[in-house]
Amino acid sequence: ASDLERFLAAFCSQRDALAAAARKLLSDEQAPGRQKLLADLIRNLSENALAEEKEDDKKWFEGLESRFKNKSSYMRYSCESRIRSYMKEVSGFTSNVHPTARDEYKRIIDLMSDKLKSVKYNGCYFDRREEEAVRLCTAEGWFSCQGPFDRDDCPCKHSINPYSNRESRILFSTWNLDHIIEKKRAVVPELAEAVKTRDGREVNWEYFYQLLFTVDNLKLVHIACHKKTNHNLSCDKTKIYRKRKQNHKIS
């Protein structure tokens, strides 16, 4: 084992003693900077990230509805809530759609809604019990910021484990599932326009579904990496309609 591994092993084995010593130091400390360092150390030493059930980490569940019996079920619910809010926005745009196209727009909303229900609103993204291919966290519950919409990674290497303690769970609510091609500025208006000008063509609603509700177009970002500026990105014009069926005319 390396020196670092030996140090970490010793550190973990003395966890309770270190936490107690840090609490004693904190009670006498006046400097804000040192207070924060000690408070963070105590919080990290006291966390119970691997606990899943409510009875094993009651502090984590403080402030939550009693129906949540384990951490993953709440995290799953929190992801579902975000996706449901996106669906609500898409539905709320109906009044802005051209009157002649509203029925078709509503039909597409119903199709999207049915698909979301079938995949349980993609709550799997935040559920650490899910398969690695579909979750956005490690098996232990660590999430990493995927960086701003215009970068391939996070320059600050932000990470968080909302499963570890109550404060991290609350902080994680400030992380954003950011649409790369923007929902309000680009995707929803483009869908409304596609329905209005379809002229007999079939709108490729599944393409819009992917942009609105899946990680094809969603990035998990720390609040500092969430750029509110105009992304200046638009939908792929070649994917807005399904390919027409070939009609062979007899000459």
PDB file of all heavy atoms in Angstrom, residues 215-250:
ATOM      1  N   VAL A 215     -30.803  12.471 -21.217  1.00  0.00           N
ATOM      2  CA  VAL A 215     -29.405  12.940 -21.146  1.00  0.00           C
ATOM      3  C   VAL A 215     -28.781  13.094 -22.529  1.00  0.00           C
ATOM      4  O   VAL A 215     -27.619  13.480 -22.632  1.00  0.00           O
ATOM      5  CB  VAL A 215     -28.543  12.015 -20.258  1.00  0.00           C
ATOM      6  CG1 VAL A 215     -28.923  12.170 -18.796  1.00  0.00           C
ATOM      7  CG2 VAL A 215     -28.652  10.556 -20.686  1.00  0.00           C
ATOM      8  N   ASP A 216     -29.544  12.812 -23.577  1.00  0.00           N
ATOM      9  CA  ASP A 216     -29.068  13.162 -24.926  1.00  0.00           C
ATOM     10  C   ASP A 216     -28.850  14.668 -25.018  1.00  0.00           C
ATOM     11  O   ASP A 216     -27.996  15.143 -25.770  1.00  0.00           O
ATOM     12  CB  ASP A 216     -30.101  12.749 -25.989  1.00  0.00           C
ATOM     13  CG  ASP A 216     -30.094  11.248 -26.235  1.00  0.00           C
ATOM     14  OD1 ASP A 216     -29.357  10.536 -25.526  1.00  0.00           O
ATOM     15  OD2 ASP A 216     -30.833  10.794 -27.134  1.00  0.00           O
ATOM     16  N   ASN A 217     -29.652  15.430 -24.248  1.00  0.00           N
ATOM     17  CA  ASN A 217     -29.566  16.892 -24.316  1.00  0.00           C
ATOM     18  C   ASN A 217     -29.524  17.536 -22.924  1.00  0.00           C
ATOM     19  O   ASN A 217     -29.584  18.759 -22.809  1.00  0.00           O
ATOM     20  CB  ASN A 217     -30.766  17.440 -25.107  1.00  0.00           C
ATOM     21  CG  ASN A 217     -30.653  18.918 -25.417  1.00  0.00           C
ATOM     22  OD1 ASN A 217     -29.616  19.398 -25.897  1.00  0.00           O
ATOM     23  ND2 ASN A 217     -31.699  19.674 -25.129  1.00  0.00           N
ATOM     24  N   LEU A 218     -29.415  16.725 -21.877  1.00  0.00           N
ATOM     25  CA  LEU A 218     -29.366  17.251 -20.508  1.00  0.00           C
ATOM     26  C   LEU A 218     -27.988  17.019 -19.904  1.00  0.00           C
ATOM     27  O   LEU A 218     -27.422  15.937 -20.043  1.00  0.00           O
ATOM     28  CB  LEU A 218     -30.414  16.560 -19.625  1.00  0.00           C
ATOM     29  CG  LEU A 218     -31.883  16.883 -19.881  1.00  0.00           C
ATOM     30  CD1 LEU A 218     -32.770  15.940 -19.075  1.00  0.00           C
ATOM     31  CD2 LEU A 218     -32.194  18.328 -19.517  1.00  0.00           C
ATOM     32  N   LYS A 219     -27.468  18.054 -19.225  1.00  0.00           N
ATOM     33  CA  LYS A 219     -26.197  17.918 -18.506  1.00  0.00           C
ATOM     34  C   LYS A 219     -26.435  18.266 -17.046  1.00  0.00           C
ATOM     35  O   LYS A 219     -27.091  19.264 -16.740  1.00  0.00           O
ATOM     36  CB  LYS A 219     -25.131  18.870 -19.071  1.00  0.00           C
ATOM     37  CG  LYS A 219     -24.659  18.535 -20.455  1.00  0.00           C
ATOM     38  CD  LYS A 219     -23.548  19.495 -20.899  1.00  0.00           C
ATOM     39  CE  LYS A 219     -22.201  19.012 -20.430  1.00  0.00           C
ATOM     40  NZ  LYS A 219     -21.089  19.825 -20.991  1.00  0.00           N
ATOM     41  N   LEU A 220     -25.882  17.461 -16.148  1.00  0.00           N
ATOM     42  CA  LEU A 220     -25.967  17.761 -14.727  1.00  0.00           C
ATOM     43  C   LEU A 220     -24.845  18.728 -14.374  1.00  0.00           C
ATOM     44  O   LEU A 220     -23.665  18.402 -14.552  1.00  0.00           O
ATOM     45  CB  LEU A 220     -25.837  16.482 -13.898  1.00  0.00           C
ATOM     46  CG  LEU A 220     -25.950  16.675 -12.382  1.00  0.00           C
ATOM     47  CD1 LEU A 220     -27.361  17.106 -11.995  1.00  0.00           C
ATOM     48  CD2 LEU A 220     -25.565  15.397 -11.652  1.00  0.00           C
ATOM     49  N   VAL A 221     -25.201  19.926 -13.911  1.00  0.00           N
ATOM     50  CA  VAL A 221     -24.175  20.948 -13.668  1.00  0.00           C
ATOM     51  C   VAL A 221     -24.324  21.620 -12.304  1.00  0.00           C
ATOM     52  O   VAL A 221     -25.431  21.878 -11.825  1.00  0.00           O
ATOM     53  CB  VAL A 221     -24.181  22.034 -14.778  1.00  0.00           C
ATOM     54  CG1 VAL A 221     -23.778  21.452 -16.114  1.00  0.00           C
ATOM     55  CG2 VAL A 221     -25.536  22.711 -14.904  1.00  0.00           C
ATOM     56  N   HIS A 222     -23.182  21.889 -11.698  1.00  0.00           N
ATOM     57  CA  HIS A 222     -23.103  22.689 -10.471  1.00  0.00           C
ATOM     58  C   HIS A 222     -23.617  24.088 -10.805  1.00  0.00           C
ATOM     59  O   HIS A 222     -23.486  24.565 -11.938  1.00  0.00           O
ATOM     60  CB  HIS A 222     -21.637  22.737 -10.021  1.00  0.00           C
ATOM     61  CG  HIS A 222     -21.391  23.459  -8.741  1.00  0.00           C
ATOM     62  ND1 HIS A 222     -21.301  24.841  -8.687  1.00  0.00           N
ATOM     63  CD2 HIS A 222     -21.200  23.013  -7.479  1.00  0.00           C
ATOM     64  CE1 HIS A 222     -21.060  25.205  -7.432  1.00  0.00           C
ATOM     65  NE2 HIS A 222     -20.998  24.116  -6.676  1.00  0.00           N
ATOM     66  N   ILE A 223     -24.180  24.767  -9.818  1.00  0.00           N
ATOM     67  CA  ILE A 223     -24.769  26.091 -10.057  1.00  0.00           C
ATOM     68  C   ILE A 223     -23.775  27.070 -10.675  1.00  0.00           C
ATOM     69  O   ILE A 223     -24.133  27.917 -11.495  1.00  0.00           O
ATOM     70  CB  ILE A 223     -25.378  26.655  -8.747  1.00  0.00           C
ATOM     71  CG1 ILE A 223     -26.208  27.899  -9.028  1.00  0.00           C
ATOM     72  CG2 ILE A 223     -24.304  26.879  -7.683  1.00  0.00           C
ATOM     73  CD1 ILE A 223     -27.056  28.355  -7.844  1.00  0.00           C
ATOM     74  N   ALA A 224     -22.487  26.945 -10.324  1.00  0.00           N
ATOM     75  CA  ALA A 224     -21.468  27.856 -10.868  1.00  0.00           C
ATOM     76  C   ALA A 224     -21.166  27.567 -12.339  1.00  0.00           C
ATOM     77  O   ALA A 224     -20.634  28.419 -13.050  1.00  0.00           O
ATOM     78  CB  ALA A 224     -20.179  27.747 -10.045  1.00  0.00           C
ATOM     79  N   CYS A 225     -21.506  26.357 -12.796  1.00  0.00           N
ATOM     80  CA  CYS A 225     -21.275  25.986 -14.196  1.00  0.00           C
ATOM     81  C   CYS A 225     -22.531  26.122 -15.057  1.00  0.00           C
ATOM     82  O   CYS A 225     -22.512  25.820 -16.245  1.00  0.00           O
ATOM     83  CB  CYS A 225     -20.752  24.552 -14.282  1.00  0.00           C
ATOM     84  SG  CYS A 225     -19.026  24.373 -13.792  1.00  0.00           S
ATOM     85  N   HIS A 226     -23.621  26.583 -14.425  1.00  0.00           N
ATOM     86  CA  HIS A 226     -24.872  26.740 -15.161  1.00  0.00           C
ATOM     87  C   HIS A 226     -24.925  28.137 -15.779  1.00  0.00           C
ATOM     88  O   HIS A 226     -25.272  29.104 -15.113  1.00  0.00           O
ATOM     89  CB  HIS A 226     -26.063  26.515 -14.220  1.00  0.00           C
ATOM     90  CG  HIS A 226     -27.385  26.588 -14.909  1.00  0.00           C
ATOM     91  ND1 HIS A 226     -28.534  27.002 -14.273  1.00  0.00           N
ATOM     92  CD2 HIS A 226     -27.740  26.299 -16.180  1.00  0.00           C
ATOM     93  CE1 HIS A 226     -29.534  26.968 -15.131  1.00  0.00           C
ATOM     94  NE2 HIS A 226     -29.077  26.541 -16.294  1.00  0.00           N
ATOM     95  N   LYS A 227     -24.578  28.241 -17.055  1.00  0.00           N
ATOM     96  CA  LYS A 227     -24.567  29.526 -17.750  1.00  0.00           C
ATOM     97  C   LYS A 227     -25.978  29.886 -18.200  1.00  0.00           C
ATOM     98  O   LYS A 227     -26.620  29.119 -18.926  1.00  0.00           O
ATOM     99  CB  LYS A 227     -23.623  29.467 -18.954  1.00  0.00           C
ATOM    100  CG  LYS A 227     -22.161  29.260 -18.578  1.00  0.00           C
ATOM    101  CD  LYS A 227     -21.273  29.264 -19.825  1.00  0.00           C
ATOM    102  CE  LYS A 227     -19.813  29.091 -19.454  1.00  0.00           C
ATOM    103  NZ  LYS A 227     -18.942  29.059 -20.654  1.00  0.00           N
ATOM    104  N   LYS A 228     -26.440  31.054 -17.783  1.00  0.00           N
ATOM    105  CA  LYS A 228     -27.802  31.489 -18.121  1.00  0.00           C
ATOM    106  C   LYS A 228     -27.863  32.242 -19.451  1.00  0.00           C
ATOM    107  O   LYS A 228     -28.921  32.672 -19.867  1.00  0.00           O
ATOM    108  CB  LYS A 228     -28.334  32.400 -17.002  1.00  0.00           C
ATOM    109  CG  LYS A 228     -28.455  31.715 -15.636  1.00  0.00           C
ATOM    110  CD  LYS A 228     -29.586  30.711 -15.621  1.00  0.00           C
ATOM    111  CE  LYS A 228     -29.819  30.125 -14.243  1.00  0.00           C
ATOM    112  NZ  LYS A 228     -30.472  31.023 -13.303  1.00  0.00           N
ATOM    113  N   THR A 229     -26.722  32.415 -20.088  1.00  0.00           N
ATOM    114  CA  THR A 229     -26.692  33.151 -21.363  1.00  0.00           C
ATOM    115  C   THR A 229     -27.358  32.337 -22.467  1.00  0.00           C
ATOM    116  O   THR A 229     -27.549  31.123 -22.332  1.00  0.00           O
ATOM    117  CB  THR A 229     -25.240  33.443 -21.778  1.00  0.00           C
ATOM    118  OG1 THR A 229     -24.514  32.202 -21.811  1.00  0.00           O
ATOM    119  CG2 THR A 229     -24.565  34.380 -20.802  1.00  0.00           C
ATOM    120  N   ASN A 230     -27.675  33.010 -23.568  1.00  0.00           N
ATOM    121  CA  ASN A 230     -28.261  32.339 -24.718  1.00  0.00           C
ATOM    122  C   ASN A 230     -27.253  31.341 -25.294  1.00  0.00           C
ATOM    123  O   ASN A 230     -26.125  31.693 -25.620  1.00  0.00           O
ATOM    124  CB  ASN A 230     -28.625  33.399 -25.780  1.00  0.00           C
ATOM    125  CG  ASN A 230     -29.517  32.829 -26.858  1.00  0.00           C
ATOM    126  OD1 ASN A 230     -29.404  31.660 -27.238  1.00  0.00           O
ATOM    127  ND2 ASN A 230     -30.407  33.662 -27.379  1.00  0.00           N
ATOM    128  N   HIS A 231     -27.668  30.086 -25.403  1.00  0.00           N
ATOM    129  CA  HIS A 231     -26.768  29.046 -25.907  1.00  0.00           C
ATOM    130  C   HIS A 231     -26.554  29.147 -27.418  1.00  0.00           C
ATOM    131  O   HIS A 231     -25.589  28.590 -27.944  1.00  0.00           O
ATOM    132  CB  HIS A 231     -27.327  27.665 -25.576  1.00  0.00           C
ATOM    133  CG  HIS A 231     -27.359  27.372 -24.103  1.00  0.00           C
ATOM    134  ND1 HIS A 231     -27.638  26.113 -23.599  1.00  0.00           N
ATOM    135  CD2 HIS A 231     -27.150  28.165 -23.015  1.00  0.00           C
ATOM    136  CE1 HIS A 231     -27.598  26.150 -22.263  1.00  0.00           C
ATOM    137  NE2 HIS A 231     -27.327  27.392 -21.896  1.00  0.00           N
ATOM    138  N   ASN A 232     -27.486  29.819 -28.085  1.00  0.00           N
ATOM    139  CA  ASN A 232     -27.407  29.978 -29.543  1.00  0.00           C
ATOM    140  C   ASN A 232     -27.277  28.642 -30.271  1.00  0.00           C
ATOM    141  O   ASN A 232     -26.510  28.506 -31.231  1.00  0.00           O
ATOM    142  CB  ASN A 232     -26.239  30.901 -29.930  1.00  0.00           C
ATOM    143  CG  ASN A 232     -26.522  32.348 -29.563  1.00  0.00           C
ATOM    144  OD1 ASN A 232     -27.621  32.841 -29.790  1.00  0.00           O
ATOM    145  ND2 ASN A 232     -25.540  33.017 -28.977  1.00  0.00           N
ATOM    146  N   LEU A 233     -28.018  27.656 -29.791  1.00  0.00           N
ATOM    147  CA  LEU A 233     -28.033  26.343 -30.444  1.00  0.00           C
ATOM    148  C   LEU A 233     -29.458  26.050 -30.889  1.00  0.00           C
ATOM    149  O   LEU A 233     -30.410  26.446 -30.231  1.00  0.00           O
ATOM    150  CB  LEU A 233     -27.559  25.251 -29.473  1.00  0.00           C
ATOM    151  CG  LEU A 233     -26.107  25.359 -29.002  1.00  0.00           C
ATOM    152  CD1 LEU A 233     -25.843  24.368 -27.871  1.00  0.00           C
ATOM    153  CD2 LEU A 233     -25.148  25.116 -30.155  1.00  0.00           C
ATOM    154  N   SER A 234     -29.587  25.357 -32.003  1.00  0.00           N
ATOM    155  CA  SER A 234     -30.927  25.066 -32.518  1.00  0.00           C
ATOM    156  C   SER A 234     -31.080  23.580 -32.814  1.00  0.00           C
ATOM    157  O   SER A 234     -30.098  22.826 -32.855  1.00  0.00           O
ATOM    158  CB  SER A 234     -31.199  25.882 -33.784  1.00  0.00           C
ATOM    159  OG  SER A 234     -30.181  25.660 -34.740  1.00  0.00           O
ATOM    160  N   CYS A 235     -32.319  23.173 -33.026  1.00  0.00           N
ATOM    161  CA  CYS A 235     -32.611  21.771 -33.318  1.00  0.00           C
ATOM    162  C   CYS A 235     -32.059  21.386 -34.694  1.00  0.00           C
ATOM    163  O   CYS A 235     -31.862  22.232 -35.563  1.00  0.00           O
ATOM    164  CB  CYS A 235     -34.121  21.534 -33.299  1.00  0.00           C
ATOM    165  SG  CYS A 235     -34.891  21.955 -31.722  1.00  0.00           S
ATOM    166  N   ASP A 236     -31.833  20.115 -34.870  1.00  0.00           N
ATOM    167  CA  ASP A 236     -31.352  19.577 -36.140  1.00  0.00           C
ATOM    168  C   ASP A 236     -32.529  19.530 -37.114  1.00  0.00           C
ATOM    169  O   ASP A 236     -33.466  18.754 -36.949  1.00  0.00           O
ATOM    170  CB  ASP A 236     -30.776  18.177 -35.907  1.00  0.00           C
ATOM    171  CG  ASP A 236     -30.156  17.578 -37.160  1.00  0.00           C
ATOM    172  OD1 ASP A 236     -30.456  18.059 -38.275  1.00  0.00           O
ATOM    173  OD2 ASP A 236     -29.374  16.616 -37.020  1.00  0.00           O
ATOM    174  N   LYS A 237     -32.474  20.379 -38.122  1.00  0.00           N
ATOM    175  CA  LYS A 237     -33.592  20.493 -39.079  1.00  0.00           C
ATOM    176  C   LYS A 237     -33.885  19.175 -39.801  1.00  0.00           C
ATOM    177  O   LYS A 237     -35.005  18.941 -40.253  1.00  0.00           O
ATOM    178  CB  LYS A 237     -33.286  21.575 -40.125  1.00  0.00           C
ATOM    179  CG  LYS A 237     -33.073  22.974 -39.551  1.00  0.00           C
ATOM    180  CD  LYS A 237     -34.331  23.579 -39.025  1.00  0.00           C
ATOM    181  CE  LYS A 237     -34.131  25.020 -38.576  1.00  0.00           C
ATOM    182  NZ  LYS A 237     -35.326  25.566 -37.894  1.00  0.00           N
ATOM    183  N   THR A 238     -32.873  18.318 -39.905  1.00  0.00           N
ATOM    184  CA  THR A 238     -33.070  17.056 -40.628  1.00  0.00           C
ATOM    185  C   THR A 238     -33.824  16.022 -39.786  1.00  0.00           C
ATOM    186  O   THR A 238     -34.200  14.959 -40.288  1.00  0.00           O
ATOM    187  CB  THR A 238     -31.719  16.442 -41.055  1.00  0.00           C
ATOM    188  OG1 THR A 238     -30.984  16.041 -39.879  1.00  0.00           O
ATOM    189  CG2 THR A 238     -30.896  17.443 -41.843  1.00  0.00           C
ATOM    190  N   LYS A 239     -34.028  16.325 -38.491  1.00  0.00           N
ATOM    191  CA  LYS A 239     -34.677  15.353 -37.611  1.00  0.00           C
ATOM    192  C   LYS A 239     -36.067  15.784 -37.151  1.00  0.00           C
ATOM    193  O   LYS A 239     -36.739  15.069 -36.409  1.00  0.00           O
ATOM    194  CB  LYS A 239     -33.799  15.101 -36.376  1.00  0.00           C
ATOM    195  CG  LYS A 239     -32.473  14.441 -36.719  1.00  0.00           C
ATOM    196  CD  LYS A 239     -31.632  14.225 -35.461  1.00  0.00           C
ATOM    197  CE  LYS A 239     -30.315  13.544 -35.818  1.00  0.00           C
ATOM    198  NZ  LYS A 239     -29.455  13.372 -34.619  1.00  0.00           N
ATOM    199  N   ILE A 240     -36.502  16.941 -37.606  1.00  0.00           N
ATOM    200  CA  ILE A 240     -37.782  17.486 -37.142  1.00  0.00           C
ATOM    201  C   ILE A 240     -38.980  16.679 -37.654  1.00  0.00           C
ATOM    202  O   ILE A 240     -39.964  16.491 -36.945  1.00  0.00           O
ATOM    203  CB  ILE A 240     -37.899  18.969 -37.537  1.00  0.00           C
ATOM    204  CG1 ILE A 240     -36.920  19.781 -36.669  1.00  0.00           C
ATOM    205  CG2 ILE A 240     -39.318  19.486 -37.392  1.00  0.00           C
ATOM    206  CD1 ILE A 240     -36.814  21.238 -37.040  1.00  0.00           C
ATOM    207  N   TYR A 241     -38.880  16.199 -38.881  1.00  0.00           N
ATOM    208  CA  TYR A 241     -39.955  15.370 -39.446  1.00  0.00           C
ATOM    209  C   TYR A 241     -39.417  13.975 -39.746  1.00  0.00           C
ATOM    210  O   TYR A 241     -38.227  13.794 -39.983  1.00  0.00           O
ATOM    211  CB  TYR A 241     -40.492  15.993 -40.743  1.00  0.00           C
ATOM    212  CG  TYR A 241     -41.106  17.365 -40.545  1.00  0.00           C
ATOM    213  CD1 TYR A 241     -40.415  18.517 -40.918  1.00  0.00           C
ATOM    214  CD2 TYR A 241     -42.376  17.506 -39.987  1.00  0.00           C
ATOM    215  CE1 TYR A 241     -40.968  19.774 -40.724  1.00  0.00           C
ATOM    216  CE2 TYR A 241     -42.937  18.761 -39.793  1.00  0.00           C
ATOM    217  CZ  TYR A 241     -42.227  19.895 -40.166  1.00  0.00           C
ATOM    218  OH  TYR A 241     -42.778  21.140 -39.976  1.00  0.00           O
ATOM    219  N   ARG A 242     -40.315  13.018 -39.700  1.00  0.00           N
ATOM    220  CA  ARG A 242     -39.935  11.665 -40.097  1.00  0.00           C
ATOM    221  C   ARG A 242     -39.822  11.630 -41.617  1.00  0.00           C
ATOM    222  O   ARG A 242     -40.479  12.403 -42.317  1.00  0.00           O
ATOM    223  CB  ARG A 242     -40.993  10.645 -39.654  1.00  0.00           C
ATOM    224  CG  ARG A 242     -41.153  10.540 -38.154  1.00  0.00           C
ATOM    225  CD  ARG A 242     -42.054   9.348 -37.834  1.00  0.00           C
ATOM    226  NE  ARG A 242     -42.538   9.413 -36.474  1.00  0.00           N
ATOM    227  CZ  ARG A 242     -41.867   8.994 -35.400  1.00  0.00           C
ATOM    228  NH1 ARG A 242     -40.647   8.500 -35.567  1.00  0.00           N
ATOM    229  NH2 ARG A 242     -42.377   9.061 -34.190  1.00  0.00           N
ATOM    230  N   LYS A 243     -39.037  10.722 -42.104  1.00  0.00           N
ATOM    231  CA  LYS A 243     -38.872  10.616 -43.551  1.00  0.00           C
ATOM    232  C   LYS A 243     -40.197  10.229 -44.179  1.00  0.00           C
ATOM    233  O   LYS A 243     -40.924   9.377 -43.668  1.00  0.00           O
ATOM    234  CB  LYS A 243     -37.806   9.573 -43.888  1.00  0.00           C
ATOM    235  CG  LYS A 243     -36.385  10.030 -43.544  1.00  0.00           C
ATOM    236  CD  LYS A 243     -35.371   9.000 -43.966  1.00  0.00           C
ATOM    237  CE  LYS A 243     -33.969   9.490 -43.639  1.00  0.00           C
ATOM    238  NZ  LYS A 243     -32.937   8.472 -43.961  1.00  0.00           N
ATOM    239  N   ARG A 244     -40.467  10.885 -45.316  1.00  0.00           N
ATOM    240  CA  ARG A 244     -41.706  10.562 -46.027  1.00  0.00           C
ATOM    241  C   ARG A 244     -41.607   9.160 -46.613  1.00  0.00           C
ATOM    242  O   ARG A 244     -40.535   8.720 -47.021  1.00  0.00           O
ATOM    243  CB  ARG A 244     -41.925  11.535 -47.199  1.00  0.00           C
ATOM    244  CG  ARG A 244     -42.221  12.963 -46.796  1.00  0.00           C
ATOM    245  CD  ARG A 244     -42.209  13.806 -48.066  1.00  0.00           C
ATOM    246  NE  ARG A 244     -42.377  15.220 -47.772  1.00  0.00           N
ATOM    247  CZ  ARG A 244     -43.460  15.907 -48.100  1.00  0.00           C
ATOM    248  NH1 ARG A 244     -44.456  15.323 -48.717  1.00  0.00           N
ATOM    249  NH2 ARG A 244     -43.538  17.196 -47.823  1.00  0.00           N
ATOM    250  N   LYS A 245     -42.758   8.511 -46.642  1.00  0.00           N
ATOM    251  CA  LYS A 245     -42.781   7.210 -47.305  1.00  0.00           C
ATOM    252  C   LYS A 245     -42.741   7.441 -48.809  1.00  0.00           C
ATOM    253  O   LYS A 245     -43.381   8.343 -49.328  1.00  0.00           O
ATOM    254  CB  LYS A 245     -44.042   6.439 -46.912  1.00  0.00           C
ATOM    255  CG  LYS A 245     -44.040   6.005 -45.452  1.00  0.00           C
ATOM    256  CD  LYS A 245     -45.327   5.269 -45.101  1.00  0.00           C
ATOM    257  CE  LYS A 245     -45.315   4.861 -43.635  1.00  0.00           C
ATOM    258  NZ  LYS A 245     -46.587   4.214 -43.247  1.00  0.00           N
ATOM    259  N   GLN A 246     -41.989   6.619 -49.497  1.00  0.00           N
ATOM    260  CA  GLN A 246     -41.846   6.783 -50.954  1.00  0.00           C
ATOM    261  C   GLN A 246     -43.118   6.327 -51.661  1.00  0.00           C
ATOM    262  O   GLN A 246     -43.591   5.195 -51.474  1.00  0.00           O
ATOM    263  CB  GLN A 246     -40.653   5.954 -51.450  1.00  0.00           C
ATOM    264  CG  GLN A 246     -39.301   6.425 -50.912  1.00  0.00           C
ATOM    265  CD  GLN A 246     -38.972   7.817 -51.392  1.00  0.00           C
ATOM    266  OE1 GLN A 246     -39.193   8.172 -52.554  1.00  0.00           O
ATOM    267  NE2 GLN A 246     -38.435   8.645 -50.494  1.00  0.00           N
ATOM    268  N   ASN A 247     -43.680   7.222 -52.409  1.00  0.00           N
ATOM    269  CA  ASN A 247     -44.847   6.879 -53.228  1.00  0.00           C
ATOM    270  C   ASN A 247     -44.395   6.757 -54.678  1.00  0.00           C
ATOM    271  O   ASN A 247     -43.990   7.727 -55.296  1.00  0.00           O
ATOM    272  CB  ASN A 247     -45.930   7.960 -53.112  1.00  0.00           C
ATOM    273  CG  ASN A 247     -46.529   8.012 -51.719  1.00  0.00           C
ATOM    274  OD1 ASN A 247     -46.774   6.971 -51.130  1.00  0.00           O
ATOM    275  ND2 ASN A 247     -46.766   9.224 -51.219  1.00  0.00           N
ATOM    276  N   HIS A 248     -44.429   5.536 -55.186  1.00  0.00           N
ATOM    277  CA  HIS A 248     -43.990   5.328 -56.559  1.00  0.00           C
ATOM    278  C   HIS A 248     -45.154   5.573 -57.518  1.00  0.00           C
ATOM    279  O   HIS A 248     -46.139   4.836 -57.523  1.00  0.00           O
ATOM    280  CB  HIS A 248     -43.474   3.896 -56.736  1.00  0.00           C
ATOM    281  CG  HIS A 248     -42.273   3.624 -55.856  1.00  0.00           C
ATOM    282  ND1 HIS A 248     -41.020   4.154 -56.112  1.00  0.00           N
ATOM    283  CD2 HIS A 248     -42.153   2.891 -54.722  1.00  0.00           C
ATOM    284  CE1 HIS A 248     -40.188   3.749 -55.158  1.00  0.00           C
ATOM    285  NE2 HIS A 248     -40.844   2.981 -54.304  1.00  0.00           N
ATOM    286  N   LYS A 249     -45.038   6.646 -58.282  1.00  0.00           N
ATOM    287  CA  LYS A 249     -46.098   6.968 -59.234  1.00  0.00           C
ATOM    288  C   LYS A 249     -45.941   6.152 -60.510  1.00  0.00           C
ATOM    289  O   LYS A 249     -44.820   5.878 -60.955  1.00  0.00           O
ATOM    290  CB  LYS A 249     -46.051   8.456 -59.589  1.00  0.00           C
ATOM    291  CG  LYS A 249     -46.433   9.341 -58.413  1.00  0.00           C
ATOM    292  CD  LYS A 249     -46.415  10.817 -58.838  1.00  0.00           C
ATOM    293  CE  LYS A 249     -46.807  11.705 -57.683  1.00  0.00           C
ATOM    294  NZ  LYS A 249     -46.768  13.126 -58.064  1.00  0.00           N
ATOM    295  N   ILE A 250     -47.078   5.747 -61.074  1.00  0.00           N
ATOM    296  CA  ILE A 250     -47.054   5.009 -62.335  1.00  0.00           C
ATOM    297  C   ILE A 250     -47.092   6.013 -63.479  1.00  0.00           C
ATOM    298  O   ILE A 250     -48.012   6.824 -63.571  1.00  0.00           O
ATOM    299  CB  ILE A 250     -48.273   4.032 -62.433  1.00  0.00           C
ATOM    300  CG1 ILE A 250     -48.215   3.046 -61.264  1.00  0.00           C
ATOM    301  CG2 ILE A 250     -48.278   3.313 -63.753  1.00  0.00           C
ATOM    302  CD1 ILE A 250     -49.461   2.204 -61.116  1.00  0.00           C
TER     303      ILE A 250
END
